[in-house]
Amino acid sequence: MEFTIKSGSPEKQRSACVVVGVFDNRKLSLSAELIDRASNGYISEIIRRGDMEGKLGSTLLLHNVRGTLADRVLLIGLGKERDFRDKEFRTAVRSAVTLLNETGSYEAVIYLTEEKVKRREVAWRVEHAVIVAMDAVYRFEQMKSEPAEVRRPLRKLTLSVPQRSDLSDGEAATARGLAIAHGMDFARDLGNLPGNVCTPSYLADRALELAREFPDIKARILERKEIEDLGMGSFLSVTNGSEQPPRFIILEYDRSVRKQRPFVLVGKGITFDSGGISIKPATDMDQMKFDMCGAASVLGVFRTIAELKSKLNVVGLIAACENLPSGRATKPGDIVKSMSGQTVEVLNTDAEGRLILADALTYAERYEPEAVVDVATLTGAIVIALGHVACGVFSNSDALARALVGAGDDAYDRAWQLPLWEDYQEGLNSNFADFANVAGRAGGSITAACFLSRFTKKYDWAHLDIAGIAWKDGKDKGATGRPVPLLATWLLSQEGNAAPQ
Ligand code: BES
Ligand code: MN
Ligand code: ZN
């Protein structure tokens, strides 16, 4: 979809559709007021009759409104004016775009971006309008024999800003929003692909392809032999039961002005998690194709920052493999040696994410990073703790955790910090190895993070447990593209901030 920024009166737009807001209790927004005046009170007449009350997300499509140059006027309910915040703004844009995409308008001018949102500037409104619009029209149809056809899909959106002086901020925000949306779409496509297509080698190929498309990105793929030579026994123990070879994907992007230390993103790339010998129940096991969504979000963020040519130094590390049972699979009780030299008793082969991340986190040390953030669909317990709203943040640096939580708030891709206190560590004690890969059921997300913390002592590190937010279940089943917005917002806020190398 194409986006442009404009400043001007709604009644003067020659467009297939002009979209304006109405607040709850029938109060017209400024742009609805202008249409009302141009049409001799037509809008207020409709509102008086009770056809549009202004309830958040409600819609009313009008044709041939007198005094205007557009074919249609779309009224969007904004809810109560004093409650119009981030969520309400996004809901209003989403319902406008969804309706436009289902009706005959292939193009429209949206005035919702002129409405004041508490604590947010015009750039925020534009960026979020673009992201929400792209999200609302996203479809995953590559595996269908015949894609469902939208008659005249929405092709072009013009977003209105209050003043001419807002145009340049609006344009920059459009570019940001689009780059983030493209990163999300990329991550979602990878997440939605089935495990028989999206294998570790497929992920590696997509990384190489990304590097061809963006010359600022360098991609390097390590195969089994090199992974063995690095001593990644923890990672490799997870691949034992699988016929698909593992891949270790390295992405490098450096446009930092004075050579700065890199931010390292580490992604969990389990392309299917059956649980291994500690096999999962059959119900919903298909959803474990999404167990590579951490890896997908790392690839997505690389697309975003490369598209924006951001002045950052970023490294992406993805450990990719399948977790399957077989006669060769790792068994409960097996002891493996990680790249760090620490030995791990694998009490549960379904706690495989932490085993592959452990070695990737050790590999990260060689970059002398400014900070390392790993992204993983790590535990079912985080879904119980935070539901599908926020991902969990764990960190050995409170400043880093705060920055990530703040970025999540700005990006409306929220994250919430959980503790990493010493007291939780003892659950991992083992009588046979340096430690075990699981503790009890209690505090499962925290003890998983505790396990990772044993491999991250040499740098500032945060762990995002995205198991609750990376995909949706139910009728909208599918990958969400989260936490690409959070990661991109955080990284972009760090431009120029890293210490010199
Ligand atoms: N990929 C899963 C986490 C998961 C489970 C995400 C369900 C979303 C929904 C992970 O590899 C896993 O299996 N974790 C186990 C850990 C346990 C064995 C300590 C879990 O959460 O049950
Ligand atoms: Mn598992
Ligand atoms: Zn898993």
Side-chain angles (χ1 to χ4, degrees), residues 19-263:
V19 182
V20 296
V22 177
F23 287 106
D24 199 350
N25 251 324
R26 307 175 176 192
K27 178 168 184 274
L28 300 186
S29 65
L30 183 61
S31 43
E33 186 82 48
L34 291 171
I35 300 253
D36 192 46
R37 265 183 237 157
S39 62
N40 287 322
Y42 181 55
I43 306 294
S44 30
E45 187 185 316
I46 281 173
I47 282 174
R48 228 175 297 117
R49 286 195 202 132
D51 289 315
M52 165 52 78
E53 313 239 291
K55 256 185 57 185
L56 180 64
S58 60
T59 59
L60 183 66
L61 187 60
L62 309 171
H63 293 267
N64 306 318
V65 176
R66 285 172 266 139
T68 69
L69 298 178
D71 301 336
R72 307 169 183 79
V73 170
L74 174 58
L75 303 182
I76 297 289
L78 303 180
K80 292 242 171 6
E81 188 168 12
R82 63 181 158 76
D83 297 337
F84 196 66
R85 299 196 179 85
D86 298 5
K87 182 181 182 3
E88 290 73 18
F89 174 80
R90 291 172 54 105
T91 302
V93 173
R94 184 178 303 277
S95 57
V97 173
T98 303
L99 187 133
L100 289 167
N101 199 37
E102 284 162 1
T103 56
S105 320
Y106 71 95
E107 162 273 333
V109 189
I110 292 192
Y111 277 80
L112 304 178
T113 34
E114 294 207 4
E115 301 307 327
K116 284 209 169 62
V117 178
K118 258 187 205 118
R119 286 174 49 232
R120 304 300 189 190
E121 302 299 319
V122 67
W124 186 95
R125 303 190 312 247
V126 168
E127 179 181 326
H128 281 251
V130 171
I131 292 171
V132 169
M134 293 287 285
D135 183 71
V137 303
Y138 174 86
R139 301 285 181 277
F140 181 77
E141 282 168 348
Q142 25 176 317
M143 302 303 289
K144 304 240 188 203
S145 54
E146 276 175 62
E149 245 179 83
V150 179
R151 266 179 315 124
R152 296 177 68 192
L154 189 57
R155 286 271 160 69
K156 184 168 180 278
L157 277 181
T158 301
L159 305 175
S160 178
V161 293
Q163 279 157 7
R164 298 195 58 83
S165 58
D166 296 324
L167 288 172
S168 69
D169 279 359
E171 271 147 24
T174 303
R176 253 178 82 114
L178 251 187
I180 291 173
H182 290 154
M184 292 174 79
D185 284 359
F186 188 42
R188 290 175 95 170
D189 281 349
L190 290 171
N192 287 331
L193 282 168
N196 61 328
V197 173
C198 184
T199 58
S201 356
Y202 181 88
L203 278 180
D205 288 345
R206 297 305 301 269
L208 292 170
E209 192 182 292
L210 188 66
R212 276 196 299 275
E213 187 177 347
F214 296 96
D216 286 330
I217 300 177
K218 307 269 172 285
R220 201 149 50 89
I221 312 297
L222 308 187
E223 302 195 351
R224 187 189 296 280
K225 176 73 173 57
E226 294 148 290
I227 299 169
E228 279 168 7
D229 292 347
L230 284 165
M232 293 184 164
S234 183
F235 175 22
L236 285 169
S237 75
V238 178
T239 76
N240 285 348
S242 164
E243 300 291 326
Q244 288 289 337
R247 292 288 183 264
F248 191 79
I249 303 169
I250 302 166
L251 299 162
E252 293 171 353
Y253 172 98
D254 189 2
R255 286 181 70 94
S256 64
V257 185
R258 275 164 280 102
K259 286 286 158 226
Q260 290 184 322
R261 290 175 183 249
F263 295 97

Side-chain angles (χ1 to χ4, degrees), residues 286-359:
D286 65 290
Q287 294 187 22
M288 285 298 113
K289 72 171 184 177
F290 294 118
D291 213 18
M292 35 56 70
C293 282
S297 70
V298 172
L299 286 161
V301 168
F302 267 78
R303 169 174 283 274
T304 302
I305 58 169
E307 208 172 294
L308 292 172
K309 295 190 175 300
S310 72
K311 299 203 173 345
L312 284 159
N313 185 2
V314 187
V315 171
L317 303 174
I318 291 168
C321 70
E322 293 181 327
N323 185 21
L324 291 178
S326 94
R328 269 188 289 273
T330 298
K331 304 170 293 298
D334 285 1
I335 294 177
V336 303
K337 188 167 185 175
S338 68
M339 184 181 173
S340 71
Q342 301 177 101
T343 59
V344 180
E345 185 184 13
V346 181
L347 288 178
N348 189 321
T349 64
D350 198 10
E352 85 298 340
R354 60 197 80 182
L355 293 173
I356 70 169
L357 291 171
D359 286 338

Side-chain angles (χ1 to χ4, degrees), residues 268 273 280 288 291 348 350-354 377-381 438 467 471:
K268 170 177 174 182
D273 181 13
K280 290 180 180 292
M288 285 298 113
D291 213 18
N348 189 321
D350 198 10
E352 85 298 340
R354 60 197 80 182
T377 48
L378 205 64
T379 65
V438 293
W471 74 91

Side-chain angles (χ1 to χ4, degrees), residues 187 191 266-269 288 290-298 357 373-384 386-394 413-416 418 445 452 462-472 478-487:
V266 176
K268 170 177 174 182
M288 285 298 113
F290 294 118
D291 213 18
M292 35 56 70
C293 282
S297 70
V298 172
L357 291 171
V373 177
D374 77 71
V375 195
T377 48
L378 205 64
T379 65
I382 201 72
V383 192
I384 305 302
L386 297 175
H388 304 290
V389 176
C391 68
V393 183
F394 303 82
D413 181 7
R414 284 164 301 176
W416 197 252
L418 281 89
S445 306
L452 299 177
H463 156 60
L464 301 182
D465 192 337
I466 61 164
I469 60 149
W471 74 91
K472 285 183 185 161
T480 58
R482 292 178 66 186
V484 169
L486 180 160
L487 292 169

